[in-house]
Amino acid sequence: MLRYLVLYGHFVRFSTSKAFEFRVDFFFRIFMDLIYYGVNIVFYQVVFLQTPLLGGWTRDQSLIFLAGYLVVDALTMTIFSNNLWWFPVAVNRGDLDYYLVRPVSALFFLLLRDFAANSFLNLLFALGILTWALVRAHMEMHGLDIAAYLLLLALGAWLHALMHLLVVLPVFWTQSGSSLHGIFYNLVRFMERPDRIYTGWVRKLLVTALPFCLMASFPARMFLEGFAWRLMAHFALVVAGFTVMVLSLWKIGLRSYASASS
Amino acid sequence: MIKARGLTKTFKVHKKQPGFAGSLRSLFVRNWEEVHALKGVDLDVEAGEIVGLVGANGAGKTTLVKALAGIIHPTGGTAEVLGHVPWRRHNEFRRQIALIMGQKAQLWWDLPAADGFLLLRQIYQVPEARFRENLARLVDALQVSDKLNVQIRKLSLGERMKMELIAALLHQPQVVFLDEPTIGLDLSAQRAIREFILDYRKRENPAMILTSHYMEDIESLCQRIVLVRQGEKVYDGSTVKLVEMYARHKVLTAHLQVGESPPDGPPRPDRMAGEILEWNGTALKIKVERRDAAGVAAQLLGNYSVADLSIEEEDVGTVIESMLKSGPAT
C-alpha cells in the first residue's frame, strides 16, 4: 500500500512538471473549466427565476448540489479522465505489454499514471464554490456532516471512473478505440441534474444499472435531507457491485489481450 | 530457468475481401480465420545462455516471447519460468524478469531518463545503494551519463535504446527477453549494445532470449539458436553446428599466379562445378556444393598454379535464410 502511495507521488510530480512545461495549454484548460462552472451556476440562477423548487430543492440547496457535482467532476478530471481517455489506445497499441511485466498492478498504471494538474486547480475552485454555497445557505451543520458529504462525493467520483472503465473495457474484444467513449460522455450528463427531476423507469435505471444519478445526487440528498440508512445501503451496494464487476471484467479482458504485435 | 512444453497460440482474425464492397460485406458477414501463431513449441533455456530466436516476420517469435514473459495467455501447452507459470504474473516472477522491445518504448516520452529510472526503482523496490551502484555502472558502460537529464523524446534512437536497456536491467533480472533490441540502430550503437549484453551476462549469469533480424547480433551473442518457421521449431542447437549440418555450399577463394602460363590454357572456371561469385582473371571466388568442395579444390590446384587457396563455410545468415525458405537440408 505504502509502495503504491509513493508511486502515486511520483506520478503526481512527473505529470505536474510536464503540465507546467506547456503553460498556455495549462492555463487555457483551467480557464475553459471555469467558464463551464460559471455557465452551470448561471443556469441554476435562471431556472430559479421560474420556479421556487427543483427536484424538491430550493435555490440554495440546488447550489450545494451543483457545487457537489462540480467537485465530483473536478476529482475525476484530476485523477482518472485523461487516463481513461487513453485506455483503449494503450490496449490497442500494446502499451499494456510493459505494464504487465512489472511487479505492480497494470490497472494501477493505466488508471492513475497521468495526474491532471490543471484540473487539480479546478478542484480547488470547485471546493471554493462549495464553501460559498454552504455559507450562503445559512444552514445548521457540523464539520462532520461536511466531511461525510466530501467522502460520499469521493465515492461518487470512484463510481464515475468505474462506469467509464466499464464502457472502455470492451476494447479487449472489439479492438476499436475511442468510439466507446461516446457512450459514456452521453450518459454522464444525467449526473449533472438532481435525480428527482427524472421519474418512472428512467429514474429506476439511473439509480441502478446506469447509476449516474447516484454520483452527485445521493451525496447531496444525504447532506441536505439527513442521513438515511436505506439511501446509504443503496449507494454502497451499487458502488461495491460495480467495483467487483469492473475488476472481474478487467481480469477476463486480460485473458483475451492479444497484444499488438511488433 | 525457462522451460516450455507444447506451447500453442491461436488467434482469430477476420478475413476481409479486398475493395470497398469487401469492407461493406465485412460489416455484416465475417469470415473468421484461425491463425496458428505457435504450433506446439518446446524450449529450454539455462542460466547464462543467450538463445537466438530467429524466424521470418510472423513466424511466431514475438508471440513466444510474450507468452514466456506472461503478457499473453497461450491457447495450450505449459511453461515454467523461474519456477512460475508466467501468465499467472506473480509479483515474485515479475520482479526477476525484464522485457526489452526495440519497437516499443517503455520509458515515458516526456520525462528525462533519470526520472524514469527513479520510478523503476520504486516499482522494483531496489534498495537505494544498490540502485545507485547499478545505475552508475550501466550508465558508464553505455556512455550516456551526459544524457540522463534530457527528455526521452529529445534523444537519438540509439541513445533512447541505451536508456531502455538500462531501464530494463536496473533491477538485475535473472531472465531477460530482448525483442529486436538493435532494430534501426547504426553500426556503432549496435556494437555498443552487443558488448553491453555480453557484459551483463558475464556479471549476472541470466537466461536470455534474443530475437533479431541482424545476423551479427545472433552470431556475436548466441551460442545457441532456435529457428521458428510458421509457428514451429525447425532447429534448436548450437550456431556452429547449424552451419556444419545445414550449410549446402562452401566458398572457395583462389588467387592464381599471374604470368605463368597455365598448363591447360587460360583458366576456364565456368567449366567447374559451382557458381562463380567473382572472377577477374587472377582472383576467383566460387560457390560449390559441399561434397564437391574437395574435388574442385583439387582441380584448381592440379590445373592452375595457385598462389593462395581458402575454403570457407557459408555464413550463418545465408544458411538460416535458406532453411527458413525451404526447411532443413536433407
Side-chain angles (χ1 to χ4, degrees):
Chain A
M1 194 61 206
L2 180 69
R3 187 161 66 111
Y4 280 91
L5 277 178
V6 173
L7 276 177
Y8 194 64
H10 276 80
F11 292 173
V12 171
R13 209 157 53 81
F14 295 153
S15 308
T16 310
S17 46
K18 185 180 130 194
F20 288 167
E21 239 182 278
F22 308 99
R23 59 179 184 175
V24 176
D25 182 71
F26 179 72
F27 288 117
F28 187 70
R29 280 163 188 265
I30 294 171
F31 183 62
M32 290 299 292
D33 281 351
L34 286 181
I35 290 179
Y36 177 71
Y37 293 0
V39 167
N40 265 289
I41 293 171
V42 170
F43 173 83
Y44 278 91
Q45 306 289 0
V46 171
V47 168
F48 280 99
L49 289 177
Q50 317 295 328
T51 172
L53 286 177
L54 180 69
W57 287 335
T58 64
R59 188 162 99 162
D60 287 342
Q61 289 176 317
S62 290
L63 275 179
I64 291 174
F65 159 76
L66 170 67
Y69 155 66
L70 294 179
V71 168
V72 173
D73 183 66
L75 261 179
T76 54
M77 293 284 282
T78 306
I79 300 171
F80 302 113
S81 291
N82 285 348
N83 298 294
L84 283 162
W85 175 259
W86 289 109
F87 188 97
V89 181
V91 172
N92 270 336
R93 251 192 344 214
D95 294 6
L96 188 50
D97 289 0
Y98 278 124
Y99 297 146
L100 287 174
V101 296
R102 306 247 184 267
V104 171
S105 153
L107 190 59
F108 172 78
F109 270 100
L110 281 176
L111 270 186
L112 298 173
R113 65 171 264 186
D114 192 78
F115 170 87
N118 54 303
S119 300
F120 181 71
L121 284 192
N122 287 122
L123 176 62
L124 299 182
F125 284 119
L127 288 169
I129 295 172
L130 179 63
T131 314
W132 167 71
L134 289 174
V135 168
R136 55 166 289 162
H138 299 297
M139 278 170 61
E140 207 184 304
M141 59 190 126
H142 297 100
L144 210 61
D145 293 334
I146 298 173
Y149 186 33
L150 289 175
L151 190 72
L152 289 172
L153 289 173
L155 273 180
W158 170 240
L159 187 59
H160 183 280
L162 282 177
M163 290 308 291
H164 198 167
L165 190 53
L166 184 65
V167 169
V168 293
L169 273 176
V171 71
F172 280 117
W173 298 277
T174 63
Q175 260 93 45
S176 85
S178 38
S179 62
L180 296 165
H181 292 299
I183 307 171
F184 179 76
Y185 288 122
N186 279 313
L187 286 171
V188 82
R189 313 212 55 177
F190 285 110
M191 160 177 112
E192 297 172 14
R193 309 284 172 244
D195 65 314
R196 275 189 291 235
I197 69 169
Y198 306 103
T199 52
W201 63 269
V202 175
R203 202 189 113 81
K204 282 206 179 101
L205 204 61
L206 288 175
V207 297
T208 53
L210 300 170
F212 289 94
C213 274
L214 295 188
M215 297 164 190
S217 291
F218 269 44
R221 273 170 65 178
M222 271 186 275
F223 180 69
L224 295 168
E225 298 159 15
F227 182 83
W229 273 112
R230 210 179 55 81
L231 223 54
M232 189 62 224
H234 181 163
F235 192 50
L237 209 68
V238 171
V239 173
F242 273 96
T243 305
V244 170
M245 186 165 94
V246 168
L247 292 184
S248 321
L249 202 63
W250 155 257
K251 282 202 178 123
I252 298 169
L254 276 188
R255 288 193 63 95
S256 306
Y257 177 57
S259 166
S261 79
S262 58
Chain B
M1 281 200 163
I2 299 176
K3 186 176 173 184
R5 292 288 173 273
L7 278 187
T8 61
K9 178 71 187 176
T10 309
F11 292 107
K12 253 181 155 182
V13 292
H14 80 268
K15 217 178 155 187
K16 187 181 89 66
Q17 268 143 40
F20 179 72
S23 300
L24 195 64
R25 212 180 112 79
S26 80
L27 202 52
F28 302 102
V29 187
R30 290 256 154 129
N31 296 323
W32 292 96
E33 195 174 72
E34 287 198 334
V35 175
H36 301 279
L38 295 176
K39 301 177 197 163
V41 174
D42 297 346
L43 185 65
D44 291 273
V45 185
E46 298 305 323
E49 249 189 324
I50 306 180
V51 171
L53 197 55
V54 183
N57 289 321
K61 307 183 299 280
T62 301
T63 306
L64 180 57
V65 166
K66 282 179 177 168
L68 293 175
I71 293 172
I72 56 174
H73 284 246
T75 313
T78 59
E80 216 174 79
V81 177
L82 295 158
H84 295 273
V85 176
W87 45 91
R88 289 209 184 121
R89 293 194 280 266
H90 274 289
N91 278 349
E92 190 51 41
F93 161 71
R94 296 194 288 191
R95 216 168 279 139
Q96 299 178 67
I97 65 160
L99 169 70
I100 297 147
M101 293 181 276
Q103 315 233 37
K104 270 182 213 163
Q106 61 175 320
L107 288 165
W108 295 356
W109 204 236
D110 290 307
L111 289 180
D115 283 355
F117 298 154
L118 278 181
L119 191 66
L120 288 164
R121 177 175 106 71
Q122 286 303 328
I123 291 172
Y124 289 100
Q125 301 279 285
V126 185
E128 177 80 36
R130 175 123 49 88
F131 171 76
R132 273 170 207 271
E133 190 196 314
N134 287 353
L135 184 61
R137 195 183 61 245
L138 297 171
V139 165
D140 190 51
L142 287 171
Q143 298 179 327
V144 283
S145 54
D146 54 332
K147 305 283 182 192
L148 277 177
N149 291 309
V150 180
Q151 284 157 327
I152 298 292
R153 64 183 146 92
K154 292 182 185 157
L155 296 178
S156 73
L157 185 62
E159 289 161 351
R160 211 157 75 214
M161 201 55 227
K162 289 176 181 175
M163 295 301 185
E164 293 277 328
L165 273 169
I166 295 172
L169 301 178
L170 269 174
H171 62 286
Q172 295 165 295
Q174 287 309 295
V175 170
V176 183
F177 302 100
L178 298 144
D179 193 9
E180 303 190 41
T182 55
I183 194 159
L185 301 186
D186 65 40
L187 290 174
S188 80
Q190 284 187 23
R191 199 171 310 125
I193 283 176
R194 275 180 219 133
E195 277 168 21
F196 178 76
I197 292 171
L198 285 175
D199 189 53
Y200 184 78
R201 181 184 65 164
K202 209 192 301 169
R203 184 174 273 278
E204 306 286 344
N205 202 38
M208 297 206 228
I209 293 183
L210 169 89
T211 81
S212 178
H213 290 291
Y214 297 122
M215 281 311 134
E216 292 101 296
D217 283 355
I218 303 290
E219 274 183 281
S220 58
L221 294 176
C222 313
Q223 292 78 39
R224 194 175 133 213
I225 197 167
V226 169
L227 282 183
V228 264
R229 193 176 66 216
Q230 291 168 7
E232 275 168 306
K233 198 164 82 167
V234 290
Y235 177 83
D236 182 348
S238 86
T239 314
V240 181
K241 225 174 177 174
L242 175 78
V243 176
E244 273 173 26
M245 281 172 70
Y246 296 117
R248 294 172 177 188
H249 302 98
K250 287 198 178 203
V251 175
L252 269 65
T253 312
H255 284 272
L256 307 184
Q257 297 265 2
V258 201
E260 260 179 64
S261 182
D264 201 21
R268 291 290 304 275
D270 52 315
R271 287 199 188 146
M272 281 179 265
E275 179 195 340
I276 299 158
L277 301 174
E278 200 184 312
W279 167 238
N280 61 9
T282 55
L284 172 68
K285 206 170 187 182
I286 185 167
K287 186 167 125 184
V288 299
E289 296 275 329
R290 279 176 80 91
R291 58 172 183 276
D292 296 341
V296 173
Q299 204 181 346
L300 273 173
L301 291 169
N303 294 347
Y304 310 112
S305 50
V306 174
D308 183 32
L309 176 75
S310 71
I311 304 176
E312 280 162 39
E313 295 281 6
E314 264 181 321
D315 64 72
V316 186
T318 317
V319 179
I320 288 172
E321 203 181 315
S322 74
M323 280 185 75
L324 289 177
K325 270 191 202 137
S326 56
T330 45

